[in-house]
């Protein structure tokens, strides 16, 4: 009498186990991998140095921040608290030897905001970073928001703390919906600084 239920449960367990194995970052990701479920915001980055993004970033026209009147105002990139699925400088098989940002697990479509005053230098598909926005801040730092599902600003746009720049997602190489938040002191890859300490200096915590 109970045999069909037992078989059904076993099959579901096997399928669930297979899904975990296939989703493991150890196995890597194909370019045509479907976007993970938006209802399971457990993602983090599955990518490393990406030449496409770095070339776009290097070629982007430099901007001068001429309006520092709002520079004192800062906000968090995600308004609600989010679980950190990968911390900054976690050691791993990246080109620089560690994770260059912090990953915040949030459902697909979660609003993402500029943390302070700046100018958008890139707002486009950015290789392994997927849909991404990079902003030159009033302090000349560069802030990168990656794996977005939607971009809401254009290159050259002036933003301030709280300006919505897009929506979170899992585009590019990612294991699931999340926001990769990265801060660089200069443009080149490897010039990253601790994003948690960066926000903390402005009275904010992730």
């Amino acid at each position: 009498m109970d045999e069909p239920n037992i078989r059904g449960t076993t099959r579901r367990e096997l399928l669930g186990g297979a899904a975990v194995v296939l989703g493991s970052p150890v196995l890597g990701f194909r370019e045509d991998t479907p976007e993970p479920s938006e209802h399971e915001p457990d993602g983090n980055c599955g990518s490393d140095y990406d030449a496409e993004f770095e070339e776009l970033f290097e070629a982007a026209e430099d901007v001068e921040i001429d309006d520092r009147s709002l520079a004192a105002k800062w906000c968090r990139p995600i308004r609600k608290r989010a679980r950190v699925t990968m911390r900054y400088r976690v050691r791993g098989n990246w080109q620089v030897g560690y994770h260059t940002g912090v990953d915040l697990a949030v459902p697909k479509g979660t609003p993402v905001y500029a943390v302070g005053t700046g100018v958008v230098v890139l707002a486009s598909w950015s290789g392994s970073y997927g849909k991404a926005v990079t902003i030159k801040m009033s302090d000349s730092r560069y802030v990168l928001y990656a794996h977005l599902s939607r971009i809401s600003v254009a290159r050259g746009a002036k933003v301030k703390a709280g300006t919505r720049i897009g929506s979170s997602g899992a585009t590019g190489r990612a294991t699931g919906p999340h926001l990769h938040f990265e801060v660089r002191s200069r443009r080149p890859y490897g010039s990253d600084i601790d994003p948690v300490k960066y926000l903390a200096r402005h009275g904010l915590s992730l």
Side-chain angles (χ1 to χ4, degrees):
M1 296 289 293
D2 295 331
E3 189 175 353
N5 290 334
I6 293 172
R7 286 179 179 173
T9 300
T10 302
R11 183 169 179 272
R12 284 195 297 273
E13 290 174 352
L14 288 173
L15 290 174
V20 170
V21 172
L22 291 173
S24 170
V26 174
L27 298 180
F29 302 91
R30 291 165 51 94
E31 290 292 342
D32 57 354
T33 300
E35 187 167 301
S37 170
E38 62 188 73
H39 303 297
E40 299 179 1
D42 293 323
N44 52 44
C45 293
S47 60
D48 189 10
Y49 171 87
D50 185 81
E52 182 179 349
F53 169 77
E54 299 303 331
E55 289 174 8
L56 287 169
F57 192 19
E58 183 64 28
E61 184 178 349
D62 197 15
V63 294
E64 294 296 329
I65 309 297
D66 56 8
D67 183 4
R68 298 172 182 259
S69 61
L70 299 176
K73 297 182 180 180
W74 293 78
C75 74
R76 300 172 68 250
I78 302 290
R79 286 185 177 167
K80 292 184 178 180
R81 292 286 180 180
R83 185 163 56 88
V84 174
T85 54
M86 187 171 291
R87 300 183 310 278
Y88 174 64
R89 287 193 80 90
V90 168
R91 305 299 297 182
N93 194 31
W94 288 280
Q95 183 168 307
V96 292
Y98 57 84
H99 187 233
T100 55
V102 62
D103 291 345
L104 304 173
V106 287
K108 178 182 175 182
T110 300
V112 176
Y113 303 97
V115 296
T117 302
V119 177
V120 177
V121 294
L122 273 182
S124 65
W125 181 269
S126 300
S128 296
Y129 285 112
K131 294 180 180 179
V133 173
T134 304
I135 298 174
K136 183 177 182 181
M137 306 299 292
S138 58
D139 59 6
S140 295
R141 301 290 195 263
Y142 294 92
V143 176
L144 167 63
Y145 308 78
H147 307 301
L148 305 176
S149 61
R150 181 178 181 180
I151 294 174
S152 303
V153 291
R155 188 176 66 178
K158 293 182 179 181
V159 298
K160 61 182 180 180
T163 298
R164 183 168 179 173
I165 62 165
S167 303
S168 64
T171 55
R173 290 185 179 269
T175 65
H178 73 285
L179 172 67
H180 173 83
F181 181 73
E182 181 175 325
V183 183
R184 298 185 183 186
S185 60
R186 296 176 293 108
R187 292 195 180 210
Y189 179 74
S191 64
D192 49 273
I193 61 176
D194 190 334
V196 175
K197 291 181 179 179
Y198 179 73
L199 290 181
R201 288 197 294 269
H202 300 288
L204 301 169
S205 61
L206 289 174

